[in-house]
Amino acid sequence: MSSIMDAFAVIFSFSGLACLIAGTVVGVVVGALPGLGPSIGITLLIPFTYNMPPELSMLLLVALYMAAEYGGSVSAILLSTPGTAAAAATAIDGYAMTRKGEANQALAVSLNASCVGGLVGAFALLVLAKPLASVALEFGPAAYFSVGLFGLTSVASLSSGSLVKGLIAGAFGLAIATIGIDPISGVPRFTFGVPELFEGIPFLTALIGLFAVSEAFSLAEGGKTETHSMAPKVRFALLSMTQWRKLGSTIASGSIIGTLLGILPGVGGNIACWVSYDFSRRRSKTPDEFGKGAPEGVAAPESANNATVGGAMIPLMALGVPGSPTTAVLVGALILHGLRPGPELFASEPVLVNTVLWGLAMTSVALFFVGSMLLPVWGWVLRLSNSVIAVGIGCMAMLGAFALRNLMFDVYMTIAFGILGYILKKFKIPMAPIILSMVLGYLIETNYRTALVTSHGDYAIFVTSPLSLLFLVLSAISLLLPVWGKIKSRRQATTNQSA
């Protein structure tokens, strides 16, 4: 108990509050800029923490981590340019709401869902750190393959009415995921002798091109000059009771999904957001509204997104195993201060541990106030004409693409994906399945082949592992439910006609 009180003394000291607020503000800005994100943001801040006490250093960094996950939704909603990879799911309905003049509502839903998801993940970290981290270690290659396969079944519900087009897009995404060095044999695949492709096509390059650059082309093509409006006097974006009743269950389910998937190393917010989005769409009474500006389509991925922060911190704090690329950077920050995460950290540095645990919860509260005060700042973007926004999107996309690896090759690839996305829009082929398949392709292939290597080619490993079998069954159910729904609706339509 004394260590908890000491942690609160650190958090609520002048220096602690300064670190909390500074990390939150910087995190929102870093998250909103395509190509940066929490990993790069923390990396850039680490040099400034050399001479800081480890408690304040970690408080600053985890605040940035949490806020950056929310910040990615700002540019996704306003400009269809996801600031982080995990915000790609948010861009689907978020930008659609902006086009309908509901940008303020979309930003408010995103902020509230992110804060609630962050609180759920933080309290899960407080209560379940050691028990759940030990369960995560039970996931072997076969189980991870089944988890990826389960996520891939979301292609059916992301196909916007045409399953064939969705499957084409999903297959194309899986094909893109095979480009680069073979993860098992180390042999280059489909690189055509281009060294820049040895690492594969960067995910953010494809993401920015398909979503942002294609939208810039569409805006420029129409020569649109209309502007959107947003209430300039908004100060606090607290949802009404009616909105909470409508979105409460979606935010709750997204927070739980994000926390649980965040615990699994290598899964993280990218996959959790899509799983949460798909789950929300399946259980919705109006699934056809998704993709057209449904608030649930913003609440689901955003609550899951921030909940993964607490989930990813669970294996890091309890076992010293990073749950995401960002937590891997945090390991470096701890080592920089002469500390090593793991079970012994709870005994040797209880004040630091409790500062991180409670600091995440406090960041979610600070994020609400910071995000609310920044809403009017984002509003001026919507008062610009679409032609100006198109130029802005293009500039941000090019800067974001170049910032990934400081290569002009990535800029050219982004433009190419932008042209591809523009063509896909013309043929009404959904782009979400491409992104989902790219996210899951590496996870599925690597763990599928690793599982077969460890089992000496015995496919029974996928059904003898209880966790693998569980997710295979869930995948089958996920695929059969839409088919059963269509058969049932056709039968009902036939019955109505005969009557």
Side-chain angles (χ1 to χ4, degrees):
M1 182 61 70
S2 61
S3 62
I4 296 177
M5 298 305 296
D6 291 340
F8 275 108
V10 172
I11 295 171
F12 290 103
S13 67
F14 177 80
S15 299
L17 290 174
C19 289
L20 190 70
I21 295 172
T24 303
V25 173
V26 173
V28 172
V29 175
V30 165
L33 295 175
L36 294 184
S39 300
I40 296 177
I42 290 175
T43 303
L44 294 174
L45 265 191
I46 284 179
F48 297 96
T49 67
Y50 284 158
N51 297 319
M52 294 173 62
E55 292 84 5
L56 293 178
S57 170
M58 292 305 298
L59 183 61
L60 175 68
L61 298 180
V62 296
L64 187 151
Y65 183 10
M66 178 73 78
E69 294 293 350
Y70 157 72
S73 69
V74 174
S75 52
I77 291 170
L78 297 181
L79 304 172
S80 187
T81 308
T84 61
T90 306
I92 299 175
D93 283 275
Y95 188 66
M97 291 179 71
T98 296
R99 298 297 298 271
K100 294 194 301 182
E102 300 174 356
N104 194 89
Q105 183 186 355
L107 287 170
V109 170
S110 171
L111 179 60
N112 283 264
S114 295
C115 293
V116 173
L119 283 172
V120 171
F123 283 113
L125 176 62
L126 282 166
V127 177
L128 305 173
K130 290 185 179 179
L132 286 182
S134 61
V135 173
L137 290 181
E138 298 297 324
F139 276 71
Y144 273 114
F145 163 76
S146 299
V147 169
L149 194 64
F150 174 62
L152 202 59
T153 59
S154 303
V155 166
S157 64
L158 294 174
S159 300
S160 301
S162 176
L163 182 59
V164 174
K165 291 181 179 179
L167 292 175
I168 291 173
F172 180 69
L174 288 175
I176 293 175
T178 63
I179 296 174
I181 299 293
D182 187 298
I184 304 299
S185 66
V187 177
R189 302 181 301 188
F190 310 114
T191 59
F192 306 103
V194 180
E196 289 85 354
L197 289 177
F198 284 178
E199 297 180 17
I201 293 179
F203 174 69
L204 278 176
T205 297
L207 180 67
I208 294 171
L210 289 173
F211 279 89
V213 178
S214 65
E215 182 61 27
F217 287 154
S218 298
L219 292 174
E221 176 193 29
K224 300 175 182 178
T225 58
E226 71 269 17
T227 60
H228 305 288
S229 61
M230 177 176 171
K233 295 183 179 180
V234 172
R235 286 294 180 269
F236 292 91
L238 186 63
L239 297 179
S240 66
M241 289 304 299
T242 302
Q243 291 173 310
W244 276 115
R245 282 193 291 269
K246 181 181 179 181
L247 301 174
S249 60
T250 300
I251 293 175
S253 62
S255 301
I256 294 171
I257 290 172
T259 301
L260 294 178
L261 291 183
I263 295 168
L264 305 178
V267 178
N270 298 3
I271 298 174
C273 288
W274 290 108
V275 172
S276 178
Y277 183 90
D278 177 56
F279 179 80
S280 178
R281 179 171 178 163
R282 288 174 185 272
R283 64 190 290 272
S284 174
K285 295 179 181 179
T286 56
D288 293 339
E289 292 298 316
F290 279 70
K292 301 175 183 177
E296 294 91 338
V298 175
E302 281 306 300
S303 55
N305 187 20
N306 278 61
T308 58
V309 175
M313 292 292 290
I314 289 174
L316 171 68
M317 299 301 293
L319 299 170
V321 178
S324 69
T326 307
T327 52
V329 179
L330 287 175
V331 171
L334 284 169
I335 294 175
L336 182 68
H337 289 281
L339 304 170
R340 188 167 295 277
E344 67 278 2
L345 193 65
F346 284 79
S348 61
E349 297 290 340
V351 177
L352 172 67
V353 170
N354 281 289
T355 299
V356 172
L357 300 185
W358 289 100
L360 274 179
M362 293 299 105
T363 299
S364 296
V365 177
L367 178 60
F368 177 78
F369 291 99
V370 171
S372 298
M373 288 185 288
L374 287 176
L375 275 181
V377 178
W378 309 130
W380 74 268
V381 174
L382 296 177
R383 290 190 285 271
L384 298 173
S385 65
N386 280 354
S387 56
V388 174
I389 291 178
V391 175
I393 291 174
C395 292
M396 287 182 64
M398 297 305 105
L399 288 173
F402 184 77
L404 293 175
R405 299 186 295 180
N406 294 327
L407 293 175
M408 282 303 298
F409 180 82
D410 291 339
V411 176
Y412 303 144
M413 288 297 299
T414 300
I415 296 173
F417 273 103
I419 296 171
L420 174 64
Y422 174 77
I423 296 172
L424 292 178
K425 282 184 178 181
K426 292 295 184 182
F427 287 95
K428 297 183 179 180
I429 296 177
M431 288 179 284
I434 299 178
I435 298 301
L436 179 66
S437 299
M438 287 184 66
V439 170
L440 295 173
Y442 181 83
L443 178 74
I444 292 173
E445 181 196 8
T446 304
N447 287 286
Y448 171 77
R449 295 174 63 185
T450 303
L452 289 180
V453 169
T454 56
S455 66
H456 304 288
D458 186 3
Y459 287 91
I461 189 174
F462 296 108
V463 293
T464 53
S465 167
L467 289 172
S468 175
L469 181 61
L470 171 64
F471 280 98
L472 286 176
V473 171
L474 291 175
S475 300
I477 294 174
S478 182
L479 284 173
L480 292 175
L481 277 178
V483 177
W484 170 248
K486 288 185 178 180
I487 294 175
K488 190 176 179 180
S489 61
R490 285 179 182 176
R491 285 179 178 177
Q492 192 171 11
T494 304
T495 303
N496 293 337
Q497 287 177 358
S498 60

